[in-house]
Amino acid sequence: MTGGRTLLGQGAAARQRAGGAAIAADGLVKIYKGGVRALDGFGFTVAAGSIFALLGPNGAGKSTTVKILTTLSRPTAGDAFIAGFDVLREPGEVRRMIGVVGQRSGVDGAATAVENLRLQGRVHGLGAKRTSVRTAELLERFRLTDAANRPARTYSGGMRRKLDIAIGLVHRPRVLFLDEPTTGLDPEARADLWREIQALSEQDALTVLLTTHYLEEADRLADRLALIDRGRLVVEGAPEELKAGLQGDTVQIELGTESLPELLPAELEQLDAVRTFTAAGDRFRAQVEHGATALPAILSVLEGYRVPVVSATVSRPSLDDVYLQYVGHVYDRSGLDEGEAR
Ligand SMILES: Nc1ncnc2c1ncn2[C@@H]1O[C@H](COP(=O)(O)OP(=O)(O)O)[C@@H](O)[C@H]1O
Ligand SMILES: [Mg+2]
């Protein structure tokens, strides 16, 4: 907390509840005009210096949460704090603490990287000298120096994204919000951005809140994550902790058919080794006690019904299994936005 602030009035108790968290949100409700309940009592806290992922399918309420936390939208109910500052009562202080990279790019394509960064420096009132030093620093940092004087519209998707992040960092915020930073990027650009985000947290001690609908992205990057579905918190924890909470193994089988015999599910349910399973299309997925004993038993049932098997793997549970366990259905990868051939 900055020195000399006195905690007075209504905000004080809530501020104290927020503790030393970089981000604290509690009981957030957002009902949009027209009646859509985008958030329905959502809350979580993020420790300073960590990477936190809001993970959920499209329409879950991720962007709405980011807009509220970054003072761009007011919640219908609930409260939120950034580094102890109340987003509703102290929006100016909050804005000084945060950098925001929205789901849609804020880069001016007609302007160069240098021009984009300078403009942002002016917006934050940095002054010409500091802006120019900071611009050079950020261009170097994101390896954009060579492209610095080209219009941003000539950049690749990954370069544009990095410029977006650089713009969000001009005023040296303590908390960075990244709304779907890698959506639409190819795998190489995505891996590159993952490294950059990790470095921001490790080297610059930034607190990063990112939203994503990629399970693997949250798994890779996040110290902790909150799974959000229909505006509600489903589960919160470290990816490792969530996966470890699911004991046993996961068996995945690729079938040579999309239609399973009617009696097959009942028979699989009878197997002691199988806890839960789902079949969707030509994919079969089961939570089992021990992969090594369950797999032969499952295969033998499939063989009994003459269901062709293309491949079978045993692995430790993934976030897919965590999602399945808590939400009750398979994570839907089909409704993802354009530019995501999988
Ligand atoms: N400005 C808005 N007006 C009305 N409904 C909205 C608005 N923005 C988002 N929504 C709705 O709120 C829900 C959550 O949206 P959003 O927060 O964008 O989800 P996500 O970012 O997880 O995809 C969706 O049903 C969406 O259609
Ligand atoms: Mg969104």
Side-chain angles (χ1 to χ4, degrees):
M1 205 113 353
T2 50
R5 291 191 57 85
T6 39
L7 302 180
L8 288 172
Q10 232 183 332
R15 201 195 307 281
Q16 242 150 28
R17 271 204 313 274
I23 305 172
D26 187 33
L28 292 180
V29 173
K30 177 71 184 186
I31 303 170
Y32 283 110
K33 288 191 201 81
V36 177
R37 189 177 275 265
L39 295 178
D40 193 14
F42 186 50
F44 58 92
T45 60
V46 179
S50 68
I51 302 182
F52 192 88
L54 279 186
L55 170 67
N58 285 333
K62 303 181 297 295
S63 291
T64 299
T65 304
V66 169
K67 283 181 197 144
I68 290 172
L69 294 175
T70 56
T71 77
L72 299 174
S73 169
R74 291 177 72 87
T76 309
D79 42 27
F81 299 85
I82 305 294
F85 295 112
D86 188 324
V87 297
L88 287 172
R89 295 186 187 88
E90 301 162 298
E93 277 91 342
V94 168
R95 278 183 219 124
R96 269 197 290 283
M97 304 299 293
I98 62 172
V100 187
V101 180
Q103 193 166 342
R104 256 172 283 158
S105 175
V107 168
D108 175 0
T112 68
V114 168
E115 289 163 350
N116 271 285
L117 289 163
R118 288 217 177 121
L119 172 64
Q120 197 62 18
R122 273 203 294 282
V123 166
H124 287 289
L126 279 193
K129 181 116 192 278
R130 279 173 70 200
T131 297
S132 126
V133 170
R134 186 67 177 146
T135 294
E137 213 172 81
L138 287 164
L139 290 170
E140 186 77 16
R141 169 67 198 262
F142 289 98
R143 280 167 283 121
L144 290 169
T145 307
D146 290 347
N149 293 304
R150 265 180 19 215
R153 76 177 117 72
T154 66
Y155 293 4
S156 69
M159 288 163 76
R160 225 170 217 265
R161 235 31 205 146
K162 285 197 235 175
L163 179 54
D164 262 316
I165 295 176
I167 289 171
L169 292 173
V170 164
H171 59 302
R172 301 183 186 278
R174 299 230 312 255
V175 181
L176 181 66
F177 290 87
L178 302 170
D179 197 1
E180 307 242 2
T182 70
T183 294
L185 294 185
D186 61 64
E188 206 178 312
R190 173 170 301 152
D192 185 34
L193 210 58
W194 285 353
R195 283 190 290 274
E196 298 289 1
I197 294 169
Q198 218 135 30
L200 288 173
S201 155
E202 282 163 16
Q203 296 163 19
D204 304 33
L206 260 183
T207 304
V208 178
L209 182 142
L210 70 94
T211 77
T212 183
H213 58 241
Y214 298 111
L215 297 163
E216 44 280 75
E217 183 159 295
D219 200 358
R220 267 289 282 277
L221 279 183
D223 296 309
R224 296 182 75 81
L225 66 86
L227 187 53
I228 178 173
D229 193 47
R230 294 179 214 179
R232 286 168 180 262
L233 177 73
V234 177
V235 66
E236 194 266 348
E240 286 316 313
E241 172 186 302
L242 295 173
K243 288 183 281 183
L246 304 183
Q247 274 146 30
D249 295 316
T250 297
V251 169
Q252 283 186 86
I253 298 176
E254 192 185 341
L255 307 168
T257 173
E258 296 212 357
S259 55
L260 291 180
E262 219 173 295
L263 292 174
L264 185 72
E267 186 142 343
L268 286 168
E269 247 157 45
Q270 306 235 302
L271 292 178
D272 285 341
V274 175
R275 275 204 222 113
T276 57
F277 71 89
T278 52
D282 60 354
R283 301 286 153 141
F284 172 91
R285 192 176 186 101
Q287 288 300 124
V288 303
E289 309 276 333
H290 300 289
T293 47
L295 183 58
I298 293 168
L299 289 177
S300 124
V301 170
L302 291 174
E303 195 179 292
Y305 282 91
R306 298 179 189 285
V307 175
V309 169
V310 177
S311 68
T313 55
V314 175
S315 55
R316 292 286 302 131
S318 67
L319 281 185
D320 280 281
D321 302 300
V322 172
Y323 187 88
L324 173 62
Q325 163 95 5
Y326 286 98
V327 182
H329 58 85
V330 180
Y331 191 78
D332 183 9
R333 291 159 188 276
S334 62
L336 305 183
D337 348 47
E338 69 283 8
E340 294 186 75
R342 293 188 107 260

